[in-house]
């Protein structure tokens, strides 16, 4: 029955917004069913869809829940409306579902660059795992030029034990750094940018910029070192005959080699920079090839070591006595040879003798010593490890000699340089070897630099980096032992392989052929150089785009796809500097400094974050501790000075200059760094310590609360007050600059923030260092009172208040300005705080002025703690007042001995270590009778009191006029009863409407009947004797001050306290006005009730 009725009597079309209620109301009206009993509500809605939601134009589909929904706009409108309680906050506080959706769609792109392949073809989400994305890149960057070109020489020079110590120190340093880096890298998402991003976001823009640029320089010089290594392999071992510069004499070979390195290195740098500029994708595609070369070379080394046990390779070396010889110019290690019973001289003979004849004159050492041929690679079981256990350091030019080989020494060794001996090309010592070796363990940041390409960066970076360091550390340690156990010592100390036919020394150990190592090391150095030229410009671009170093902003630009063109040019230019050095041994310590500094700050960042225990410090990597980070930081610093103390100082100076530059220019970035947290903890600790004990007199300095007045535009009305603050404080101690807005914070919150920004701008313009605080209060009096009571924190509270004299207080329409001033004086006195009041503050000098000859005059009338004498000393520390001399005046009464007073005051100043001219002024202010008072003083006092009474009368007249106007308004109404009703109806707003005409007349007669209130009586007044005496003192003192100090640059006066009876407040203002009359710059000083200066040390 229900369905039949519903189908034949459909409801009329309801409006959209009333549809749900309409359907239920229609059911109740037509069927008599209450809507809360309608169990077939679904049928109503279904019936409505049949009638009104048919497909067609301008009608919604059946799947749409909205009426007349022609597009998806209605759906967008209702997004988030299912939480109507929070709908007003949706824009600022998104729904959790929206937030999670944004986090799920977050893409971690490489910072500062879009690669060519990403620019041309959009790739999917990062899919690189731990092995491919972190482990192998770290292996490729760690194993490189030092392993193939210098490790054998380090082992031969330092010995197995000291070489092992070098490797352990350096590997330990990188392992501890990797642990710290893993903690930082797993504490949230780390975009690409490597150590720069981690340090800058952990230690702030100053440290980040300084260390980021050091890391950039280290990476750039690493590129120079790899290119030099590439050229060394090319010219020494692959194509030695292609040298451009050929030495005609043996002593010129080293210089010719350096010039060849410069020429070929520059060409190689230009070629690599061109490859990087054309397409980074080619570098990335060749990375696996270069890595394969490294892996094959290391496998060849271990295979060669195993083969020496079975059959050592045949690499004979020739010794003359105990001296090692270069054997590439002769085949046979003998002086003469017998062929068919005929003795012939060999090529070796010709190198040491004047002619090939047997009777030729030969080198003395050659004549006295025999030639011996031994195996350069005796093998793992030969026992040569005993001879290689300890080091053999020496100066440049020292001969490489076999330790246990007998020889006959000679006296004259001056001609040895022209003979085919093996020499040390540089002076060798332990610390130098540390600096040369350390670059071989760098490259641990390769994984973190690729964090944007990793499937799970927070898992892959710690595992891959630590495993890579463990693997490479094992390779280096075993290589040190195996090299010392398999290779003869004189061969190890032969840096360029001259004793083994100019073969790469490490190649002589490899199996199946030395060319495996030569080719592998060549491509490895090429790949490492390309990677450095690829990574360094992007690092510079990232620093430039962060905007923390303004002069680097030009390097933030590049090609359309983000390639850092300008940064690449800058990198190539710096890299050329390293190539012009032309020596791997000279460049390696330079980049060691920069990498060590970078690693030092990585450890520092982790240690600071751990010790601070900031709430955001929640790394997923749990195997870290602040002691490990501190140990790593100490080890980095030690290695810096062990390697080269002067390079360390230069690197630290560069970082310090960059830090101060960023700090000076004002780093505007706020990254929530740990240094701010460290500063907060240090400040909290210091504040607690300060509050434990009161400040000693020796440590007292004015901590100022500066009360500013703002104009109608919320600007600072007296900016010279800030200038004076700067001159008085010189950036030392506490300064709180504050002001008060009258109103409520709910209505003036935005204006308060705007005013605070204006005050901060004024402080910056006047170079005032301190804090700014603008408060909103119901009235100015309460606002200033709250500031005086509560400004500051803990032990860092103000002890003095600085404000400007209310110059226009007489012309003010109301009495609030001077009443507020006097109340401020009273409150500072009650709070035991000093008060400084500057008159004519706009005439005070600005920070750019330089006052010439002049004086700062101190009028010391009463002793209130010595603040009067301390202030000129502080002012003269500033360059504005530096040339001004200090004069101290004091007043002697009738019974005082002025001569003795002057001597005592001079002695007091001597003990205070203050240089000032002392003068005692004799002034008699004693009043015996009315004849002692000048007519001017009497008249001025009388005018002052008449003015006070007149102002009170005017205020009363104004009140009466207001009441009369209100009465006229009431009398104009129709009925007094209606008026009474109206007044009764709104008692809160119209209380004054209860006045009647009779009451007004009676009140006026009562007031007129009171004594001394008529205007005529004002002319019959006699001044109060107490006021006359005060005015007399003010006039006399002013005469003396003007006479002595009218030409002074600044006059400091004791400020008398306000009267205890508030009825004389206006007279107090008059006294002060008279006291300062005729003086341009005056500073009234009122002490805080404690001694602020002492004669003791």
């Amino acid at each position: 029955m229900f369905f039949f009725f519903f189908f034949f009597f459909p409801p009329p079309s309801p409006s959209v917004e009333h549809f749900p209620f309409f359907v239920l109301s229609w059911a109740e009206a037509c069927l008599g069913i209450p809507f809360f009993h309608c169990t077939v509500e679904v049928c109503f809605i279904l019936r409505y869809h049949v009638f009104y939601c048919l497909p067609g134009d301008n009608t919604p589909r059946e799947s749409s829940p909205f009426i007349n929904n022609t597009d998806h706009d209605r759906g967008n409108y209702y997004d988030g409306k299912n939480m109507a309680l929070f709908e007003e906050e949706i824009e600022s506080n998104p729904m959790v579902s929206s937030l999670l959706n944004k986090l799920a769609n977050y893409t971690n792109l490489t910072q500062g660059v879009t690669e060519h392949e990403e620019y041309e073809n959009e790739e999917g989400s990062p899919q690189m795992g731990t092995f491919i994305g972190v482990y192998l890149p770290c292996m490729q960057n760690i194993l490189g030029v030092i392993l193939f070109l210098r490790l054998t020489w380090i082992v031969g020079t330092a010995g197995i034990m000291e070489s092992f110590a070098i490797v352990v120190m350096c590997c330990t340093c990188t392992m501890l750094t990797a642990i710290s880096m893993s903690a930082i890298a797993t504490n949230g998402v780390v975009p690409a940018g490597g150590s720069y991003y981690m340090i800058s976001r952990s230690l702030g823009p100053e440290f980040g910029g300084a260390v980021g640029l050091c890391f950039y320089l280290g990476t750039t010089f690493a590129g120079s070192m790899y290119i030099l290594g590439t050229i060394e392999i090319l010219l020494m071992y692959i194509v030695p005959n292609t040298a451009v510069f050929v030495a005609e004499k043996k002593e010129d070979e080293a210089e010719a080699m350096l010039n060849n390195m410069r020429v070929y290195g520059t060409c190689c740098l230009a070629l690599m920079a061109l490859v990087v500029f054309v397409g980074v994708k080619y570098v990335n595609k060749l990375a696996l090839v270069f890595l394969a070369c490294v892996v094959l070379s290391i496998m060849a080394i271990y295979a060669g070591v195993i083969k020496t046990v079975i059959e050592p390779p045949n690499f004979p070396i020739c010794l003359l006595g105990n001296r090692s010889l270069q054997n590439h110019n002769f085949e046979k290690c003998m002086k003469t040879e017998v062929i068919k019973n005929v003795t012939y001289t060999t090529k070796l003979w010709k190198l040491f003798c004047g002619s090939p004849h047997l009777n030729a004159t030969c080198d003395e050492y050659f004549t006295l010593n025999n030639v011996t041929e031994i195996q350069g690679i005796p093998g793992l079981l030969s026992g040569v490890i005993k001879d290689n256990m300890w080091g053999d350091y020496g100066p440049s030019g020292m001969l490489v000699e076999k330790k246990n080989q007998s020889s006959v020494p000679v006296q004259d060794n001056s001609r040895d340089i022209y003979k085919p001996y093996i020499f040390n090309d540089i002076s060798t010592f332990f610390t130098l070897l540390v600096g040369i070796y350390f670059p071989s363990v760098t490259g641990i940041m390769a994984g973190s630099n690729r964090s944007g390409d990793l499937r799970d960066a927070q898992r892959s970076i710690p595992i891959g980096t630590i495993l890579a360091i463990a693997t490479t550390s094992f390779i280096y340690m075993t290589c040190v032992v195996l090299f010392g156990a398999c290779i003869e010592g004189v061969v190890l100390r032969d840096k360029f392989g001259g004793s083994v036919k100019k073969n790469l020394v490490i190649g002589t150990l490899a199996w199946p052929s030395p060319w495996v190592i030569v080719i592998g090391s060549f491509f490895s150095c090429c790949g490492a150089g390309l990677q450095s030229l690829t990574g360094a410009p992007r690092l510079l671009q990232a620093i430039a785009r962060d905007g923390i170093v303004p002069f680097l902003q030009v390097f933030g630009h590049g090609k359309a796809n983000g390639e850092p063109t300008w940064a690449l040019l800058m990198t190539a230019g710096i890299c050329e500097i390293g190539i012009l050095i032309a020596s791997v041994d000279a460049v390696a310590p330079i980049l060691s400094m920069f990498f060590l500094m970078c690693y030092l700050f990585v450890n520092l960042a982790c240690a600071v974050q751990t010790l601070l225990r900031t709430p955001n410090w929640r790394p997923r990597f749990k195997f870290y501790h602040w002691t490990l980070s501190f140990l790593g930081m100490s080890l980095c610093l030690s290695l810096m000075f062990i390697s080269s103390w002067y390079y360390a100082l230069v690197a630290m100076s560069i970082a310090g200059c960059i830090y101060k530059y960023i700090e000076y220019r004002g780093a505007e970035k706020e990254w929530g760094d740990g240094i701010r947290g460290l500063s907060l903890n240090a400040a909290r600790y210091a504040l607690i310590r300060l509050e434990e004990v009161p400040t000693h007199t020796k440590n007292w300095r004015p901590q100022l609360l500066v009360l500013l007045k703002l104009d109608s535009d919320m600007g600072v009305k007296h900016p010279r007050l800030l200038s004076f603050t700067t001159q008085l404080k010189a950036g030392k101690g506490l300064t709180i600059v504050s002001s008060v807005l009258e109103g409520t914070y709910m209505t003036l919150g935005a204006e308060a923030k705007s005013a605070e920004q204006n005050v901060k701008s004024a402080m910056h313009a006047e170079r005032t260092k301190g804090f700014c605080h603008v408060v909103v209060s119901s009235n100015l009096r309460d606002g200033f009172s709250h500031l005086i009571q509560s400004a500051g924190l803990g032990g860092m509270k103000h002890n003095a208040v600085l404000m400007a004299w209310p110059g226009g207080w007489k012309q003010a329409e109301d009495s609030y300005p001077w009443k507020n001033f006097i109340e401020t004086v009273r409150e500072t006195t009650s709070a035991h705080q000093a008060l400084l009041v500057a008159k004519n503050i706009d005439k005070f000098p600005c920070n750019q002025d330089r006052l010439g000859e002049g004086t700062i005059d101190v009028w010391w009338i009463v002793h209130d703690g010595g603040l009067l004498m301390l202030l000129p000393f502080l002012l003269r520390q500033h360059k504005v007042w530096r040339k001004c001399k200090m004069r101290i005046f004091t007043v002697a009464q009738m019974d005082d001995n002025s001569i003795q007073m002057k001597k005592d005051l001079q002695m007091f100043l001597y003990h205070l270590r203050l240089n000032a001219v002392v003068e005692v002024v004799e002034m008699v202010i004693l009043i015996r009778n009315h004849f002692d008072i000048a007519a001017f003083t009497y008249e001025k006092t009388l005018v002052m009191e008449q003015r006070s009474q007149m102002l009170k009368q005017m205020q009363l007249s104004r009140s009466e006029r207001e009441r009369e106007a209100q009465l006229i308004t009431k009398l104009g109404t129709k009925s007094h009863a209606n008026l009474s009703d109206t007044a009764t109806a709104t008692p809160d707003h119209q209380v004054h409407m209860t006045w009647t005409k009779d009451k007004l007349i009676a009140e006026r007669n009562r007031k007129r009947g009171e004594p001394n209130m008529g205007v005529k009586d004002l002319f019959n007044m006699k001044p109060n004797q107490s006021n006359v005496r005060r005015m007399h003192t003010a006039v006399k003192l002013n005469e003396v001050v003007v006479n002595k100090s009218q030409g002074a640059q600044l006059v400091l006066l004791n400020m008398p306290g306000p009267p205890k009876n508030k009825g004389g407040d206006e007279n107090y203002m008059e006294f002060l006005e008279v006291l300062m009359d005729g003086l341009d710059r005056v500073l009234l000083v009122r002490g805080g009730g404690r001694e602020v200066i002492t004669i003791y040390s």
Side-chain angles (χ1 to χ4, degrees):
M1 180 65 183
F2 169 78
F3 288 103
F4 176 80
F5 187 88
F6 187 72
F7 270 87
F8 281 93
F9 298 96
S13 177
S15 62
V16 176
E17 61 270 18
H18 300 115
F19 168 66
F21 177 75
F22 174 82
V23 171
L24 298 177
S25 301
W26 181 86
E28 184 178 5
C30 296
L31 303 179
I33 305 174
F35 71 90
F36 48 84
H37 290 161
C38 290
T39 58
V40 290
E41 180 184 348
V42 178
C43 297
F44 282 118
I45 298 175
L46 179 62
R47 178 70 183 91
Y48 181 84
H49 274 281
V50 173
F51 275 95
Y52 298 109
C53 300
L54 297 176
D57 294 337
N58 300 324
T59 56
R61 297 180 180 87
E62 292 187 8
S63 61
S64 174
F66 306 108
I67 308 302
N68 295 331
N69 185 12
T70 58
D71 50 37
H72 62 282
D73 292 342
R74 176 71 64 170
N76 292 339
Y77 173 79
Y78 276 89
D79 284 346
K81 299 300 183 183
N82 53 340
M83 286 291 181
L85 185 61
F86 302 95
E87 62 184 6
E88 295 182 357
E89 303 176 357
I90 289 296
E91 293 184 1
S92 59
N93 302 323
M95 300 297 295
V96 175
S97 58
S98 303
L99 176 64
L100 294 177
N101 184 49
K102 290 179 181 178
L103 292 177
N105 295 329
Y106 176 77
T107 56
N108 189 359
L109 298 179
T110 304
Q111 182 176 355
V113 65
T114 304
E115 305 293 358
H116 276 290
E117 59 268 31
E118 296 174 349
Y119 181 73
E120 295 170 359
N121 303 311
E122 292 188 4
E123 297 180 353
S125 58
Q127 294 297 326
M128 297 178 69
T130 302
F131 186 75
I132 299 295
V134 180
Y135 181 77
L136 291 182
C138 287
M139 288 280 292
Q140 180 186 1
N141 281 268
I142 294 173
L143 301 172
V145 59
I146 301 298
L147 171 64
F148 298 119
L149 295 183
R150 294 293 183 268
L151 188 57
T152 54
W153 174 71
I154 291 173
V155 173
T157 304
I160 295 176
M161 297 299 293
E162 294 182 28
S163 299
F164 197 83
I166 292 173
V167 172
V168 169
M169 280 195 304
C170 295
C171 291
T172 302
C173 176
T174 54
M175 180 61 78
L176 294 174
T177 304
I179 293 173
S180 300
M181 183 193 71
S182 299
I184 298 174
T186 58
N187 187 51
V189 178
V190 178
S195 60
Y196 163 68
Y197 184 91
M198 290 186 289
I199 293 172
S200 62
R201 270 59 177 179
S202 298
L203 294 181
E206 294 88 356
F207 278 108
V211 181
L213 284 176
C214 287
F215 188 50
Y216 163 74
L217 292 174
T219 307
T220 304
F221 276 103
S224 301
M225 186 186 70
Y226 293 133
I227 291 174
L228 290 174
T230 302
I231 302 305
E232 182 176 317
I233 295 171
L234 181 70
L235 296 181
M236 285 280 190
Y237 310 114
I238 299 179
V239 283
N241 297 325
T242 59
V244 176
F245 299 92
V246 179
E248 296 180 357
K249 299 178 181 179
K250 188 177 186 301
E251 59 268 24
D252 297 333
E253 288 181 355
E255 187 64 29
M257 184 61 187
L258 292 178
N259 290 330
N260 287 321
M261 297 281 284
R262 294 185 180 105
V263 172
Y264 278 92
T266 302
C267 296
C268 183
L269 171 63
L271 181 61
M272 288 185 176
L274 182 62
V275 171
V276 173
F277 177 77
V278 171
V280 180
K281 62 180 180 181
Y282 302 112
V283 178
N284 293 334
K285 290 179 180 178
L286 291 173
L288 289 177
V289 177
F290 299 144
L291 178 61
C293 294
V294 174
V295 174
L296 289 176
S297 299
I298 294 174
M299 293 176 63
I301 294 172
Y302 283 106
V305 170
I306 295 173
K307 187 177 180 297
T308 60
V309 178
I310 304 170
E311 182 183 357
N314 184 27
F315 282 98
I317 60 173
C318 188
L319 300 177
L320 176 60
N322 63 350
R323 299 178 180 179
S324 178
L325 299 176
Q326 298 179 10
N327 60 2
H328 59 278
N329 290 326
F330 59 89
E331 297 294 334
K332 298 179 181 179
C333 185
M334 55 182 66
K335 296 180 180 181
T336 60
E337 60 178 341
V338 178
I339 302 175
K340 296 181 180 182
N341 296 324
V342 178
T343 303
Y344 296 94
T345 59
T346 61
K347 291 183 179 181
L348 179 60
W349 177 282
K350 297 175 184 178
L351 295 174
F352 287 91
C353 301
S355 68
H357 303 292
L358 291 173
N359 58 354
T361 302
C362 297
D363 180 76
E364 183 182 4
Y365 189 84
F366 181 79
T367 304
L368 296 177
N369 290 276
N370 296 324
V371 175
T372 308
E373 186 177 72
I374 60 175
Q375 283 296 325
I377 313 295
L380 189 62
L381 303 179
S382 62
V384 73
I385 188 173
K386 297 178 182 178
D387 300 331
N388 296 330
M389 193 63 69
W390 304 105
D392 188 10
Y393 303 105
S396 176
M398 188 187 77
L399 293 166
V400 176
E401 300 175 340
K402 185 172 173 58
K403 297 177 183 178
N404 55 358
Q405 187 79 11
S406 61
S407 66
V408 179
V410 295
Q411 297 297 325
D412 186 14
N413 294 320
S414 59
R415 303 290 299 175
D416 290 347
I417 190 175
Y418 303 105
K419 304 305 178 184
Y421 294 123
I422 305 297
F423 296 93
N424 280 354
D425 63 329
I426 59 174
S427 298
T428 54
F429 41 89
F430 178 79
T431 57
L432 173 71
L433 300 184
V434 174
I436 293 175
Y437 173 77
F438 188 80
S440 65
V441 296
T442 59
I444 62 174
M445 301 291 181
S448 62
N449 290 341
R450 295 167 177 254
S451 60
D453 302 324
L454 300 175
R455 186 185 306 114
D456 186 358
Q458 296 193 5
R459 178 179 179 273
S460 298
I461 290 176
I463 297 175
T465 304
I466 293 175
L467 284 180
I469 294 175
T471 305
T472 53
S473 300
F474 173 79
I475 291 173
Y476 282 127
M477 292 177 187
T478 54
C479 283
V480 166
V481 176
L482 294 177
F483 290 165
C486 296
I487 304 175
E488 185 62 50
V490 290
V491 179
L492 289 173
R493 293 194 294 278
D494 182 6
K495 183 185 292 185
F496 303 110
S499 62
V500 285
K501 302 285 184 183
K502 283 199 170 181
N503 279 303
L504 185 61
V505 174
I506 195 172
T508 60
L509 185 62
W511 181 86
S513 170
W515 284 102
V516 176
I517 298 294
V518 172
I519 301 301
S521 60
F522 176 79
F523 283 110
S524 173
C525 292
C526 283
L530 285 171
Q531 292 290 343
S532 296
L533 289 179
T534 303
R538 281 152 181 74
L539 179 58
L540 181 60
Q541 187 184 48
I543 299 173
R545 288 186 173 178
D546 268 345
I548 58 176
V549 185
F551 66 83
L552 294 179
Q553 290 183 358
V554 65
F555 300 110
H557 307 292
K559 293 193 293 187
N561 63 341
E563 286 295 319
T565 307
W566 295 106
L568 178 61
L569 291 176
M570 181 68 177
T571 302
I574 298 175
C575 195
E576 178 65 18
I577 297 174
I579 289 174
L580 292 178
I581 297 175
S583 172
V584 172
D585 303 323
V587 174
I590 297 176
L591 65 98
S592 293
M593 292 303 110
F594 292 124
F595 278 117
L596 279 168
M597 182 164 289
C598 175
Y599 296 163
L600 183 150
F601 282 100
V602 169
N603 285 291
L604 175 62
C606 182
V608 167
Q609 298 277 29
T610 305
L611 289 174
L612 289 179
R613 297 179 181 177
T614 53
N616 192 54
W617 179 247
R618 303 184 300 273
R620 290 187 179 276
F621 181 79
K622 301 299 182 183
F623 304 99
Y624 70 94
H625 196 266
W626 69 267
T627 54
L628 296 179
S629 300
F630 184 79
L631 179 61
M633 181 178 63
S634 304
L635 191 55
C636 288
L637 187 63
S638 302
L639 287 175
M640 286 177 67
F641 283 93
I642 287 174
S643 301
S644 174
W645 64 269
Y646 46 90
Y647 277 162
L649 291 178
V650 170
M652 295 174 72
S653 300
I654 292 174
C657 290
I658 297 171
Y659 178 94
K660 295 305 292 183
Y661 173 78
I662 297 173
E663 185 182 48
Y664 171 75
R665 291 301 300 265
E668 298 178 356
K669 302 291 182 181
E670 174 54 52
W671 291 323
D673 52 271
I675 291 298
R676 287 189 177 273
L678 186 63
S679 302
L680 181 63
N681 272 11
R684 180 187 62 84
Y685 175 77
L687 287 173
I688 293 174
R689 290 294 303 273
L690 281 174
E691 202 170 18
E692 291 176 356
V693 291
T695 304
H696 194 272
T697 303
K698 292 186 291 185
N699 297 325
W700 194 95
R701 66 168 59 246
Q703 317 284 11
L704 291 181
L705 171 65
V706 184
L707 300 180
L708 287 180
K709 188 174 182 181
L710 303 179
D711 55 24
S712 57
D713 297 329
M714 298 299 171
V716 178
K717 192 170 184 179
H718 301 295
R720 291 294 174 88
L721 197 61
L722 296 176
S723 303
F724 184 70
T725 303
T726 303
Q727 296 157 20
L728 183 62
K729 300 287 293 179
K732 304 296 190 298
L734 175 69
T735 301
I736 304 174
V737 181
S738 58
S739 186
V740 178
L741 299 182
E742 192 169 5
T744 61
Y745 189 76
M746 295 297 293
T747 58
L748 296 179
E751 287 81 354
K753 291 183 174 155
S754 174
E756 193 163 314
Q757 289 300 320
N758 293 339
V759 173
K760 286 181 179 178
S761 300
M763 291 174 64
H764 179 74
E766 301 297 337
R767 298 180 181 177
T768 304
K769 296 182 179 179
F771 307 98
C772 172
H773 193 37
V774 176
V775 299
V776 181
S777 179
S778 57
N779 57 74
L780 297 179
R781 173 69 250 122
D782 290 344
F784 286 124
S785 176
H786 295 158
L787 286 171
I788 292 172
Q789 295 177 57
S790 60
L793 179 65
M796 286 295 285
K797 291 184 68 68
H798 62 279
N799 54 27
V801 176
L802 173 62
M803 60 189 303
W805 171 259
W809 67 275
K810 288 185 177 180
Q811 292 76 27
E813 295 181 358
D814 51 38
S815 59
Y816 289 118
W818 60 266
K819 285 187 176 179
N820 288 343
F821 173 80
I822 296 177
E823 287 302 314
T824 302
V825 176
R826 286 195 174 100
E827 289 197 357
T828 54
T829 304
S830 300
H832 301 289
Q833 296 174 5
L835 178 64
L836 311 178
V837 180
K839 182 190 177 185
N840 296 332
I841 186 63
D842 294 328
K843 295 183 179 181
F844 276 57
C846 64
N847 293 326
Q848 287 72 33
D849 293 339
R850 300 292 181 270
L851 298 180
E853 297 298 327
T855 60
I856 301 176
D857 289 357
V858 177
W859 285 85
W860 191 23
I861 301 169
V862 295
H863 179 64
D864 55 357
L867 183 59
L868 271 172
M869 289 174 287
L870 182 63
L871 291 177
F873 171 77
L874 296 176
L875 280 175
R876 293 181 68 242
Q877 306 303 309
H878 196 274
K879 50 193 173 183
V880 173
W881 304 89
R882 189 164 294 160
K883 294 184 179 180
C884 295
K885 299 184 181 301
M886 179 178 171
R887 296 194 302 177
I888 295 184
F889 297 88
T890 188
V891 178
Q893 301 294 322
M894 276 186 59
D895 300 333
D896 295 332
N897 186 343
S898 58
I899 299 176
Q900 187 63 37
M901 280 183 64
K902 185 174 182 179
K903 290 181 180 179
D904 294 342
L905 184 54
Q906 288 174 337
M907 182 59 65
F908 182 57
L909 293 178
Y910 174 78
H911 288 302
L912 290 176
R913 291 90 63 199
L914 294 176
N915 296 322
V917 177
V918 176
E919 187 171 346
V920 178
V921 179
E922 295 182 354
M923 186 173 65
V924 179
I925 312 181
L926 181 63
I927 304 175
R928 290 184 296 271
N929 52 54
H930 66 277
F931 296 105
D932 293 330
I933 301 175
F936 170 77
T937 304
Y938 192 88
E939 182 181 357
K940 196 168 186 64
T941 308
L942 183 60
V943 169
M944 175 187 71
E945 294 188 355
Q946 287 175 348
R947 179 179 180 274
S948 299
Q949 292 297 333
M950 191 176 296
L951 286 176
K952 292 179 181 178
Q953 189 71 21
M954 288 173 63
Q955 291 176 0
L956 179 61
S957 300
R958 187 184 306 116
S959 176
E960 291 179 353
R961 286 197 301 270
E962 290 177 356
R963 291 171 179 174
E964 288 178 357
Q966 294 162 5
L967 181 59
I968 292 171
T969 303
K970 291 187 292 182
L971 293 176
T973 55
K974 293 182 180 179
S975 149
H976 182 72
N978 294 338
L979 179 63
S980 301
D981 294 341
T982 305
T984 308
T986 57
D988 294 336
H989 303 287
Q990 298 182 4
V991 176
H992 53 270
M993 297 298 287
T994 57
W995 281 85
T996 64
K997 183 177 179 180
D998 297 336
K999 285 184 179 181
L1000 179 61
I1001 294 172
E1003 179 66 17
R1004 180 177 297 175
N1005 292 333
R1006 186 182 67 83
K1007 291 292 183 182
R1008 289 176 178 173
E1010 291 181 0
N1012 299 327
M1013 294 306 297
V1015 176
K1016 295 181 180 179
D1017 296 333
L1018 290 175
F1019 298 100
N1020 299 323
M1021 285 180 59
K1022 291 184 179 180
N1024 184 282
Q1025 289 300 316
S1026 176
N1027 290 337
V1028 171
R1029 286 188 289 106
R1030 288 186 174 88
M1031 182 64 74
H1032 180 68
T1033 304
V1035 170
K1036 287 292 185 181
L1037 190 57
N1038 175 257
E1039 289 177 357
V1040 176
V1041 173
V1042 170
N1043 182 40
K1044 296 286 186 179
S1045 302
Q1046 192 168 19
Q1049 298 288 3
L1050 179 64
V1051 177
L1052 280 76
L1053 286 169
N1054 279 118
M1055 183 179 183
K1060 296 181 180 179
N1061 181 13
K1062 292 187 178 182
D1065 285 354
E1066 188 176 5
N1067 299 337
Y1068 173 72
M1069 295 295 292
E1070 287 281 359
F1071 296 148
L1072 294 181
E1073 195 76 64
V1074 171
L1075 184 62
M1076 297 183 291
D1077 189 28
L1079 299 173
D1080 280 342
R1081 299 179 188 143
V1082 182
L1083 185 66
L1084 293 177
V1085 181
R1086 182 164 177 79
R1090 59 161 297 171
E1091 293 292 332
V1092 300
I1093 194 167
T1094 178
I1095 64 175
Y1096 299 103
S1097 61

